[in-house]
Amino acid sequence: VAGASHFLTHDLPDQLEREAPEGLDYRSVFEAAADGILVVSTDGRIVEANAESYRQFGYEDGELIGRSIEILVPERLADGHERMREAYHSGPRARAMGIGMELRGRRNDGSEFPVEISLSPQGRNGTAYVVCVVRDMTERMKLRHLGLAAIKGAERERHRIAQELHDDTAQLLSAVILRLKLLVDEEDTARRSEAGRDLREQIRDAAESVRRIARGLRPPALEDAGVVTALRGHARAFFEGSDLVWEIHADGVDNLLGEDQKLVLYRVVQEAMSNVVRHARASRLTVLIRLVDSLVVTSVSDDGCGFVVEAAGNGPGLGLLGMRERAAGVGGRIEYLSNAGEGCTVVLTLPVNIPEPTNG
Ligand SMILES: Nc1ncnc2c1ncn2[C@@H]1O[C@H](COP(=O)(O)OP(=O)(O)OP(=O)(O)O)[C@@H](O)[C@H]1O
Ligand SMILES: [Mg+2]
């Protein structure tokens, strides 16, 4: 096979063999695909691979041609894969591979990633190929995990609320009902007004309990003291006893951000701080919260070991992805700036929530 143009003009089904529309060639369509596309001969050699497949599997352009498809399969599965490939050739048909199985690809550096693969037989005149379309599922699997984590979090939170409503508020209200019954039956006026006072106390307690439960939904300091003060409080407790030198410099942004945005700002800085403590081996951490035009720009920088941002997405962590999701949820954006050995800066940009104009 000389090249893709051969495969693309001679081995496509009839309906595609008519002339390409003016100015379009199928080679560029093949190269532009967002999924990896590999064309494999019956003996398991790769005869074509598009740009995305080189990116997915971490090979230099051209390196895959002539290699065995098994180099892209985790080693522990390669033997089984070869047997399955041979079986496929005896009855090839278009299908998704390994339905219900967690398929994994193997990169050039030996690392693995989750994939979805669909296979379709191609070729004629005695030459058979299998076209494998490979979709990198890394991001999607993470989103799924994140969704599950969010559901679990919400579940825990509901459980906590239910428990407190049951143990606290409901108990108080039962006591109120009892007291009320006494009050209604009481004929002595002095004792009646005493029961009335008790009742008021109990209702006040119940109201306080409801307020306390409601406050548990958001970090209370965030509501009471504003986001910057809440973050200082968190940092003080979080870095207590560590040698890390931290500072927070902030413009007054509390009135410029919506409640959800403030929660996102708080959670993003929290996660960034936790990452610095867990991963960075830093001696210094600086948080800057600045109003720039109509944006609130927050950066969390450390002077630690840094990391390769593109590679971090391959690990199991959900923090970076969660920050990105949270930011997007309130119209904001996240960037991670880091290089190995050069510290890390996380930048969160939030649009200012411009208050509705009021009359007068
Ligand atoms: N400030 C930092 N300095 C050095 N490495 C970092 C820093 N922040 C993140 N990383 C690297 O990026 C990876 C991904 O971070 P992420 O927050 O997504 O996951 P995690 O912290 O490992 O796990 P999780 O947040 O889900 O508990 C980390 O495992 C770490 O290798
Ligand atoms: Mg983390």
Side-chain angles (χ1 to χ4, degrees):
V1 177
S5 51
H6 168 87
F7 147 68
L8 287 166
T9 52
H10 294 274
D11 296 337
L12 285 170
D14 291 339
Q15 70 270 23
L16 288 181
E17 213 170 312
R18 60 174 179 250
E19 292 251 313
E22 179 71 32
L24 177 74
D25 82 286
Y26 284 121
R27 171 89 216 179
S28 55
V29 175
F30 173 76
E31 289 297 349
D35 288 332
I37 306 177
L38 297 152
V39 183
V40 181
S41 61
T42 34
D43 64 352
R45 304 262 142 221
I46 299 167
V47 298
E48 267 303 343
N50 71 345
E52 175 60 14
S53 63
Y54 283 100
R55 197 203 58 78
Q56 286 175 340
F57 290 96
Y59 286 84
E60 294 294 323
D61 191 25
E63 261 189 318
L64 287 172
I65 305 301
R67 307 286 296 275
S68 159
I69 185 77
E70 268 82 36
I71 64 166
L72 305 182
V73 177
E75 268 165 275
R76 62 181 187 286
L77 304 174
D79 282 356
H81 185 267
E82 198 172 338
R83 278 196 303 280
M84 281 201 273
R85 182 164 56 70
E86 280 154 12
Y88 180 82
H89 282 298
S90 59
R93 64 197 161 76
R95 65 172 174 85
M97 191 174 148
I99 295 167
M101 292 186 343
E102 298 260 316
L103 298 178
R104 302 185 70 77
R106 168 162 50 121
R107 296 194 190 89
N108 200 3
D109 65 7
S111 62
E112 295 182 13
F113 63 108
V115 292
E116 220 168 64
I117 298 177
S118 50
L119 304 174
S120 62
Q122 297 286 339
R124 65 176 67 128
N125 303 335
T127 319
Y129 299 106
V130 178
V131 175
C132 312
V133 178
V134 180
R135 178 161 296 179
D136 184 339
M137 299 298 286
T138 309
E139 285 288 302
R140 237 155 306 178
M141 295 300 271
K142 281 192 162 191
L143 284 176
R144 192 190 298 167
H145 286 133
L146 197 67
L148 286 177
I151 290 169
K152 276 200 201 124
E155 201 58 58
R156 263 201 307 278
E157 192 60 14
R158 265 205 295 279
H159 186 73
R160 183 190 71 81
I161 296 169
Q163 187 106 36
E164 284 187 41
L165 284 174
H166 169 269
D167 294 351
D168 206 286
T169 319
Q171 305 290 353
L172 286 165
L173 290 176
S174 310
V176 165
I177 293 168
L178 278 178
R179 182 66 54 161
L180 201 55
K181 192 165 175 311
L182 287 180
L183 183 80
V184 170
D185 296 344
E186 184 58 67
E187 286 175 4
D188 181 300
T189 13
R191 266 185 274 167
R192 226 179 131 115
S193 55
E194 192 184 323
R197 274 194 298 278
D198 285 354
L199 191 54
R200 204 176 51 197
E201 280 299 299
Q202 280 172 325
I203 294 175
R204 193 179 292 146
D205 285 354
E208 181 49 40
S209 128
V210 170
R211 242 175 263 128
R212 207 169 34 71
I213 294 165
R215 268 202 303 269
L217 302 181
R218 281 163 177 275
L222 198 57
E223 232 107 309
D224 303 343
V227 65
V228 175
T229 312
L231 278 172
R232 279 188 213 285
H234 173 73
R236 211 168 288 128
F238 192 66
F239 297 122
E240 164 128 50
S242 94
D243 293 335
L244 190 116
V245 178
W246 61 273
E247 51 194 348
I248 298 179
H249 301 285
D251 294 336
V253 295
D254 274 290
N255 296 327
L256 302 173
L257 297 175
E259 291 304 312
D260 290 347
Q261 291 179 312
K262 280 189 261 186
L263 185 61
V264 169
L265 199 166
Y266 184 81
R267 294 290 186 219
V268 164
V269 175
Q270 243 183 348
E271 169 63 19
M273 284 177 173
S274 132
N275 276 353
V276 171
V277 166
R278 288 171 49 209
H279 310 299
R281 298 192 296 276
S283 58
R284 231 189 154 77
L285 176 143
T286 307
V287 180
L288 296 176
I289 304 178
R290 293 280 178 246
L291 180 64
V292 183
D293 298 325
S294 53
L295 298 172
V296 173
V297 181
T298 303
S299 64
V300 182
S301 321
D302 67 69
D303 64 350
C305 62
F307 65 111
V308 180
V309 176
E310 294 75 32
N314 300 330
L318 296 175
L320 298 181
L321 195 71
M323 286 197 250
R324 178 160 285 144
E325 291 285 294
R326 274 182 185 280
V330 293
R333 211 155 43 78
I334 281 266
E335 270 170 290
Y336 314 107
L337 312 171
S338 188
N339 281 311
E342 293 176 14
C344 168
T345 299
V346 178
V347 183
L348 167 69
T349 313
L350 293 171
V352 165
N353 195 2
I354 298 177
E356 297 276 316
T358 47
N359 292 325

